Amino acid sequence: MLRSTIYQITGVKIMEQNCHVEPVNKTVLDGVPSTADHIHLMVAGMGCQNCAMRVRNSLVLVDGIHHVEMYLQMGLAEVYYDSGKVTTEAMIKAVAAAGNDGRHHYEAQALSNLPV
């Protein structure tokens, strides 16, 4: 009750102790390939750094995604990937799958015409 009252008053979510998410590390030889495709995804449902890490981890585990940068305050994911291996639809599904614990719900939409 107190947590929901604080959230209603301040608008700031209080992280649960069991909400912590460890980052998934993915090794890309010699950094992100210069030939990597690039896309921004608008991500809804992220309320804290743990949410952003949960979405990032889900994306990073997709074969063909080289690197992901998350921008929580803007609700954006910047994804470097191989279009021969992964589609935008697969990325959107990976974002949704990040909320498979019954407590979180994420949705993504591809954005175009953003500068690299």
Side-chain angles (χ1 to χ4, degrees):
M1 178 70 173
L2 178 61
R3 287 180 182 272
S4 64
T5 303
I6 292 172
Y7 176 70
Q8 289 172 358
I9 293 171
T10 65
V12 176
K13 286 190 176 182
I14 298 171
M15 285 188 274
E16 300 283 332
Q17 287 182 352
N18 61 357
C19 194
H20 180 73
V21 178
E22 288 293 326
V24 169
N25 294 314
K26 186 172 188 176
T27 303
V28 177
L29 300 176
D30 299 321
V32 177
S34 61
T35 59
D37 296 291
H38 179 259
I39 191 170
H40 288 93
L41 300 174
M42 182 174 63
V43 181
M46 297 186 300
C48 68
Q49 287 292 340
N50 290 324
C51 290
M53 185 62 67
R54 194 174 284 109
V55 170
R56 178 203 166 273
N57 286 350
S58 187
L59 285 164
V60 165
L61 290 173
V62 174
D63 184 37
I65 292 182
H66 304 296
H67 181 73
V68 178
E69 288 289 332
M70 298 300 298
Y71 301 97
L72 174 62
Q73 298 302 322
M74 294 186 289
L76 287 176
E78 184 176 20
V79 184
Y80 293 88
Y81 66 103
D82 179 345
S83 62
K85 291 185 176 182
V86 64
T87 64
T88 302
E89 184 62 31
M91 291 181 223
I92 290 170
K93 286 180 180 178
V95 169
N100 65 0
D101 64 357
R103 294 178 52 206
H104 300 88
H105 178 75
Y106 308 110
E107 293 181 15
Q109 179 180 345
L111 299 177
S112 59
N113 300 326
L114 287 178
V116 177

